[in-house]
Amino acid sequence: MTAQDITDEHRRDAQTLWDYHLLGHEPRNTEVAIVLGSYDLGAARHAAELYHQGRFSLIVFTGATNDYTIDVFPQGEAVAFRAAAIESGVPESATMIEDKATNSGANITLSRELLSQAGLVPTSVTLIAMPFMERRAFATCRAQWSEVEVVCASQPIAFADYLSFSADPRHVICDMVGDLQRIIEYPKYGYMIEQVVPEEVHAALKRLIVAGYDRVLPKS
């Protein structure tokens, strides 16, 4: 399915989810960046941009693979993301790799352990992920690493452009639906801190699920 195959109604609802997932944090200097792996190298390239701006001096790339990324990044998400950042001018000495994480909670906890093993205990981190993963990453980090100061960042791009550049725009919307459902459900398990979800966001989510954008919903 291409971006043109998505109805205007579905696009409007997806835009509502996109806007909610974005946190709009102002960039600020932190001690370290953690880049969450995915199928989108835009996070790695944006990390390189922020590194060159002097926002942090060390980047941890975290992520193994999943069913959706194994064919794209057979070497692992973290390895591929670090390579993209190095191609963008980040020195290898300014990077670390955590290549075991398969979910956002593990991205945070295993990156924290990696830093600790290196004798590093940062008090501030920049989390860099896909644009629609900002809120999930933030809520997860606040639950799993409550004492650290967190700022979130992502590739600055409009939703329409992101969708049109995607090889699988329907999957992008499915991911946004799945991430929002996790934001709603996971606080009761302690995986994330609770987030306020406005009614219009709830309504858009329900319409998209009914419309069939449900293939990455969390398993009950």
Side-chain angles (χ1 to χ4, degrees):
M1 176 176 282
T2 67
Q4 289 72 31
D5 295 321
I6 299 169
T7 70
D8 289 343
E9 180 184 4
H10 300 164
R11 193 182 298 271
R12 286 193 297 271
D13 284 337
Q15 179 75 62
T16 297
L17 267 61
W18 174 275
D19 293 342
Y20 175 73
H21 283 306
L22 287 170
L23 292 173
H25 288 174
E26 287 293 326
R28 57 184 185 271
N29 295 353
T30 61
E31 294 167 64
V32 64
I34 298 176
V35 181
L36 282 66
S38 66
Y39 49 78
D40 181 5
L41 286 172
R45 297 183 180 116
H46 188 56
E49 292 176 6
L50 294 176
Y51 174 85
H52 292 308
Q53 292 172 17
R55 293 296 181 184
F56 36 75
S57 59
L58 177 65
I59 309 174
V60 177
F61 295 94
T62 170
T65 59
N66 56 42
D67 291 343
Y68 199 76
T69 62
I70 185 64
D71 293 330
V72 183
F73 304 128
Q75 72 275 48
E77 296 163 6
V79 174
F81 275 44
R82 181 171 74 163
I86 290 172
E87 287 177 4
S88 297
V90 175
E92 186 173 348
S93 59
T95 69
M96 298 176 72
I97 280 187
E98 184 295 299
D99 61 359
K100 301 294 189 297
T102 57
N103 58 64
S104 57
N107 286 141
I108 301 302
T109 58
L110 294 180
S111 295
R112 181 183 185 181
E113 289 175 10
L114 180 69
L115 289 164
S116 179
Q117 290 166 6
L120 302 172
V121 184
T123 60
S124 60
V125 301
T126 299
L127 295 180
I128 305 174
M130 296 183 289
F132 58 84
M133 198 179 174
E134 279 193 20
R135 187 178 293 274
R136 178 183 175 187
F138 174 80
T140 301
C141 188
R142 296 301 297 135
Q144 306 297 330
W145 198 357
S146 59
E147 65 270 29
V148 78
E149 178 187 352
V150 182
V151 58
C152 290
S154 62
Q155 175 190 9
I157 185 171
F159 174 60
D161 292 335
Y162 194 91
L163 210 61
S164 65
F165 295 150
S166 172
D168 189 350
R170 186 177 180 88
H171 186 82
V172 170
I173 298 178
C174 287
D175 265 350
M176 290 197 294
V177 167
D179 274 11
L180 179 52
Q181 194 67 37
R182 287 168 174 80
I183 287 169
I184 293 168
E185 293 184 7
Y186 280 8
K188 65 185 177 186
Y189 303 116
Y191 300 158
M192 302 180 189
I193 63 166
E194 190 166 354
Q195 299 288 285
V196 175
V197 182
E199 181 51 42
E200 63 269 21
V201 178
H202 271 291
L205 171 67
K206 292 176 183 176
R207 288 192 294 267
L208 288 169
I209 291 174
V210 170
Y213 296 89
D214 59 354
R215 69 189 192 202
V216 294
L217 287 173
K219 297 177 181 178
S220 56

